[in-house]
Amino acid sequence: MPITIKDVAERAGVSVSTVSKVLNDWKTISNETKEKVNRSIKELNYTPNSRAVSFARGNTRNIIYLTSLSKGEAYTNPHMFDIMCGVFSNLAKQGFTMTMMDISDEVHPKETVSDIIARKSADGIVIHGSVINQDIANLIISNNFPHIVIGHPEIDNRLCWVDTNHLLAGQYAAEYLSSHDVSPVSFIAGKKTEFISHERERGFRTIMLKHHKKITPEYVEYTSSTWKEGYESTKKLLSMVIPPKAIVCENNTLAVGASKAINELGLSVPEDIFFLTFDAYPYTTIIDPRPTIVDINVYDMGMQAADMIIRKIDNPSLMIQSYTTLPVVIE
């Protein structure tokens, strides 16, 4: 069996916490005690692990990533995994571990967060925006617990968060079309109540108006973001008396349906119509015709979230509310 810190403590005749303090070179430990512990370490050929070294520091070097991992999550929330990989990669580089915690089936997710704080099982928590609620927000704020929310939370302005600037992404799409002097243009959006869709549409409208290309209501379609609605909306728009010269889909799923409709009508991209969508993943590499993409590197956003949670651990009073990672247009 492997030698543990407990074995070292028993051999040296001291407590586990004393061994940990020696490993961390605490100045309050006497030289005599240090010699006993170091002699026991050498005799037992003990190699301390990172948890043992962290014990006396009062930290775990572990970050909880709180999210929902229900069946089909990879399809309904594909960017979450890129973000998670970015967080994990950067934490690992800085000597931290990351523990994923799923609360999709929990009736009272607040209790899970309360347990994390009470047991001190992590130094901080990264919370995906899809699972944050006011109860969790109140709990982490009242305990001044280090946290970063992925996505701009609407529920509490005291939360620390990191997000991509969806309004800016919409502006990039509009600038691209304006640079090609395309008019009229259409926008197939998600539901009016969806924050990301609303921000992308708002940014898009702002820049089009700046270039004196106002988007009238008949050129905007609101949907539930299914591929079938993307298909039907595109067919409807392209059958207008004055059809749009550009179709902009707010997300990949809508773009799947739009590409099918464009194909059926025998139109070429971009000769007959400009075709744009947002985010490179998951469908843009397999649909035909290929759209121009306004992409945001969400992996990079995850890496920045890791930097921010470590800063927050070092300074719990630090307020972090930041948009990260500029969009890029991929033709």
XYZ file of all heavy atoms in Angstrom, residues 35 38 43 157 175-176 227 254 273 287 317:
99
model
N 12.839 18.187 12.184
C 13.816 17.113 11.961
C 13.161 15.740 12.088
O 13.442 14.829 11.307
C 14.971 17.256 12.962
C 15.903 18.423 12.649
C 16.954 18.631 13.738
O 17.021 17.780 14.659
O 17.679 19.650 13.667
N 10.917 15.227 8.957
C 11.724 15.014 7.745
C 12.448 13.667 7.777
O 12.611 13.011 6.746
C 12.730 16.152 7.574
C 12.079 17.437 7.120
O 11.125 17.405 6.338
N 12.569 18.571 7.595
N 12.761 8.025 5.854
C 12.748 6.597 6.184
C 11.616 5.860 5.474
O 11.773 4.706 5.062
C 12.619 6.418 7.699
C 13.864 6.834 8.462
C 13.644 6.851 9.968
O 12.489 6.636 10.413
O 14.622 7.098 10.713
N -26.780 42.033 -9.629
C -25.628 42.783 -10.139
C -24.419 42.726 -9.209
O -23.408 43.364 -9.454
C -26.014 44.242 -10.415
C -26.513 44.968 -9.178
O -26.354 44.498 -8.052
N -27.130 46.132 -9.395
N -21.568 44.865 -39.953
C -20.443 45.549 -40.612
C -19.971 44.755 -41.833
O -19.616 45.339 -42.861
C -19.280 45.743 -39.632
C -19.515 46.793 -38.555
C -19.466 48.227 -39.079
O -19.382 48.428 -40.314
O -19.543 49.156 -38.234
N -19.966 43.451 -41.713
C -19.557 42.605 -42.833
C -20.486 42.808 -44.035
O -20.032 43.024 -45.170
C -19.549 41.138 -42.413
C -19.285 40.188 -43.557
C -17.988 39.950 -43.999
C -20.338 39.554 -44.213
C -17.738 39.089 -45.056
C -20.101 38.689 -45.269
C -18.803 38.455 -45.691
O -18.568 37.614 -46.756
N -34.444 23.709 -36.553
C -33.991 23.745 -37.950
C -35.176 23.899 -38.892
O -35.077 24.559 -39.936
C -33.188 22.484 -38.290
C -34.034 21.250 -38.499
C -34.353 20.299 -37.595
C -34.687 20.868 -39.727
N -35.168 19.342 -38.153
C -35.376 19.661 -39.468
C -34.757 21.421 -41.012
C -36.134 18.998 -40.433
C -35.506 20.766 -41.979
C -36.182 19.565 -41.689
N -30.774 27.126 -36.661
C -31.558 27.838 -37.668
C -30.849 27.812 -39.018
O -31.496 27.707 -40.070
C -31.794 29.283 -37.225
C -32.726 29.490 -36.023
C -32.645 30.923 -35.525
C -34.167 29.130 -36.398
N -27.105 35.104 -52.881
C -27.523 35.541 -51.550
C -26.376 35.368 -50.561
O -25.618 34.400 -50.629
C -28.767 34.753 -51.062
C -29.293 35.357 -49.759
C -28.460 33.259 -50.896
C -30.706 34.939 -49.426
N -22.840 21.827 -43.010
C -23.975 22.223 -43.834
C -23.497 22.790 -45.167
O -22.388 23.293 -45.284
C -24.897 23.236 -43.110
C -24.141 24.508 -42.733
C -25.518 22.621 -41.889
C -25.017 25.555 -42.065
N -12.676 40.119 -2.228
C -13.454 41.357 -2.357
C -13.409 41.937 -3.768
O -14.086 42.918 -4.068
C -12.941 42.402 -1.360
O -11.597 42.754 -1.657
